[in-house]
């Protein structure tokens, strides 16, 4: 194996000793005043040396021999063993998106950006539901939530569809004994399991036309924020086949019997989800004067210019949680038509102020004013 020294330098030898003990290896008498530890395999067919310091001239050779022996005993390749020892334990969430545009394993930039934002919001709302269960969270991206979601990483894709492989680090649990209690699970494992359970329960409730979704939101088990994040993902992929699958890291027990590993998203559930989200969205969030800054991405109005009283623009802005949001802004056409046209053509930033109305699907500003900023 090339660059074996580089990988050996990434290892913590005390953790390797812990890994061996968890695998049933027996530590026997140490050498050189504890500078070298000896281990005997459970079947007593293999013995290895683990130098605890690099001061020995044959340090890398001895370490390589030990790693090769451990890999043989574990029935793994050396690469496979190093991957386990160096990297934290991880769950993998596969978000598979398949439609006419992903046949070659590619996806448009805008769709990719929107999906990443929506997945982030789904995970973040699940995280805060675990930390502080509530019907509605006025603020989601608290520091603890941001730090937790920042630990996730995206992997690579596959031909025939577009798969967002989301790597969810869990910590170095391959070196630890584990107490099987749900509260002791790494927070990312709890987020992953609860997110899948939430989506599954939501869709079953809608498809079976029962009250479970309503009851879960009323009790604070599932927040309005989660419903809103899921709704935006449904909307963004309404013409695609989307599925989510999970590969649970075997170093950490899932605790629950038969945890959800695969599910398909059904955008046809969206209307009921929106209805429940709007039912439990606090009324004080509505009909207040709000100001947003951003750029105009679209202009709509009556086909006949002479009969066009209202002008509706789509504004791309940044919300309170520092995430991209889209706002529908209703303006008086006779007063603001020229400002809107000039700002749109020049790609200028604008400031809009109006009466805020929020639904699970959109943010609207009514009776708004607009100012071109540059």
């Amino acid at each position: 194996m090339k660059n074996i020294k580089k990988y050996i330098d990434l290892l913590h030898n005390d953790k390797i000793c812990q890994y061996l003990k968890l695998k049933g290896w027996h530590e026997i008498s140490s050498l050189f005043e504890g500078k070298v530890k000896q281990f005997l395999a459970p079947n007593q067919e293999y013995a290895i040396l683990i130098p605890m310091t690099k001061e020995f001239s044959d340090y890398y050779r001895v370490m390589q021999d030990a790693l090769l022996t451990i890999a043989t005993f574990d029935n793994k390749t050396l690469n496979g063993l190093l991957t386990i020892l160096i990297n934290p334990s991880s769950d993998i969430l596969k978000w598979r998106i398949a439609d006419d545009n992903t046949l070659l394993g590619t996806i448009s930039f805008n769709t990719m950006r929107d999906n990443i934002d929506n997945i982030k919001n789904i995970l973040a709302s699940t995280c805060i539901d675990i930390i502080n269960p509530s019907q509605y969270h006025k603020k989601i991206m608290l520091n603890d939530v941001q730090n937790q979601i920042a630990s996730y990483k995206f992997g690579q894709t596959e031909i025939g569809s577009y798969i967002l492989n989301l790597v969810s680090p869990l910590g170095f649990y391959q070196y630890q004994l584990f107490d099987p209690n749900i509260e002791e699970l790494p927070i990312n494992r709890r987020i992953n399991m609860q997110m899948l359970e939430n989506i599954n329960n939501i869709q079953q409730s809608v498809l079976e036309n029962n009250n479970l979704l309503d009851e879960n939101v009323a009790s604070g088990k599932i927040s309005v924020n989660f419903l809103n994040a899921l709704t935006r993902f449904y909307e963004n992929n309404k013409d695609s086949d989307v599925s989510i699958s999970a590969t649970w890291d075997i170093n950490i027990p899932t605790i629950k019997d038969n945890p959800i590993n695969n599910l398909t998203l059904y955008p046809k559930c969206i209307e009921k989800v929106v209805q429940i989200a709007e039912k439990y969205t606090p009324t004080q969030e509505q009909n207040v004067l709000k100001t947003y800054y951003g750029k105009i991405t679209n202009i709509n109005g009556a086909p006949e210019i002479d009969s066009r009283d209202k002008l509706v623009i789509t504004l791309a802005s940044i919300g309170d949680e520092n995430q991209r949001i889209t706002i529908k802004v209703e303006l008086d056409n006779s007063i603001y038509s020229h400002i809107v046209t000039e700002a749109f053509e020049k790609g200028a930033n604008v400031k809009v102020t109006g009466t805020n109305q929020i639904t699970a699907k959109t943010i609207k500003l009514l009776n708004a004013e607009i100012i071109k900023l540059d």
Side-chain angles (χ1 to χ4, degrees), residues 90-97 112 116 119 123 151-159 161-169 243-247:
S90 297
D91 290 337
I92 308 293
L93 295 175
K94 293 178 176 287
W95 300 70
R96 179 180 178 275
I97 300 164
M112 170 69 138
I116 290 175
I119 290 170
L123 292 169
S151 68
Y152 284 80
K153 296 176 173 63
F154 281 108
Q156 55 191 340
T157 62
E158 299 176 18
I159 291 178
S161 59
Y162 197 92
I163 299 180
L164 294 167
N165 289 308
L166 192 57
V167 181
S168 171
S243 60
I244 310 171
S245 62
T247 302

Side-chain angles (χ1 to χ4, degrees), residues 192-232:
N192 300 338
M193 292 180 68
Q194 183 160 318
M195 179 196 68
L196 291 171
E197 288 177 6
N198 282 352
I199 296 174
N200 184 63
N201 291 340
I202 287 168
Q203 295 190 150
Q204 279 191 347
S205 177
V206 174
L207 296 174
E208 295 173 8
N209 196 27
N210 61 42
N211 294 324
L212 182 60
L213 171 56
D214 196 301
E215 293 170 1
N216 282 338
V217 179
S219 66
K221 184 177 180 181
I222 299 176
S223 67
V224 169
N225 310 82
F226 184 88
L227 299 187
N228 290 342
L230 182 61
T231 295
R232 286 190 288 270

Side-chain angles (χ1 to χ4, degrees), residues 77-128:
T77 63
L78 180 57
N79 279 337
L81 177 65
L82 287 170
T83 297
I84 291 173
L85 295 178
I86 293 172
N87 295 308
S89 303
S90 297
D91 290 337
I92 308 293
L93 295 175
K94 293 178 176 287
W95 300 70
R96 179 180 178 275
I97 300 164
D99 56 28
D100 292 341
N101 299 312
T102 64
L103 293 177
L104 298 179
T106 60
I107 194 168
S108 74
F109 181 84
N110 288 342
T111 301
M112 170 69 138
R113 178 196 61 196
D114 291 342
N115 281 325
I116 290 175
D117 282 349
N118 291 332
I119 290 170
K120 175 183 176 182
N121 292 335
I122 290 172
L123 292 169
S125 56
T126 306
C127 182
I128 200 166

Side-chain angles (χ1 to χ4, degrees), residues 122-179:
I122 290 172
L123 292 169
S125 56
T126 306
C127 182
I128 200 166
D129 282 355
I130 291 173
I131 296 172
N132 182 27
S134 176
Q135 279 186 13
Y136 179 81
H137 305 284
K138 188 171 183 180
K139 187 173 180 63
I140 297 176
M141 289 298 180
L142 305 175
N143 287 339
D144 288 347
V145 175
Q146 290 192 64
N147 292 339
Q148 202 59 52
I149 302 307
S151 68
Y152 284 80
K153 296 176 173 63
F154 281 108
Q156 55 191 340
T157 62
E158 299 176 18
I159 291 178
S161 59
Y162 197 92
I163 299 180
L164 294 167
N165 289 308
L166 192 57
V167 181
S168 171
L170 305 173
F172 288 92
Y173 282 85
Q174 62 268 46
Y175 299 112
Q176 299 181 32
L177 289 172
F178 198 80
D179 180 17

Side-chain angles (χ1 to χ4, degrees), residues 292 297-300 311-316 325-331 352 355-357 361-368:
Y292 294 95
T297 60
N298 195 26
I299 304 173
N300 287 300
L311 195 62
V312 178
I313 65 170
T314 302
L315 186 76
I325 56 173
T326 299
I327 306 157
K328 299 293 185 181
V329 183
E330 183 182 276
L331 299 159
V352 293
T355 304
N356 201 49
Q357 286 194 349
K361 296 171 67 173
T362 59
I363 299 175
K364 295 180 180 179
L365 280 188
L366 304 180
N367 303 316

Side-chain angles (χ1 to χ4, degrees), residues 300-302 307-312 330-334 367-368:
N300 287 300
S307 61
R308 186 181 297 170
D309 295 326
K310 297 294 182 182
L311 195 62
V312 178
E330 183 182 276
L331 299 159
D332 187 309
N333 181 63
S334 62
N367 303 316

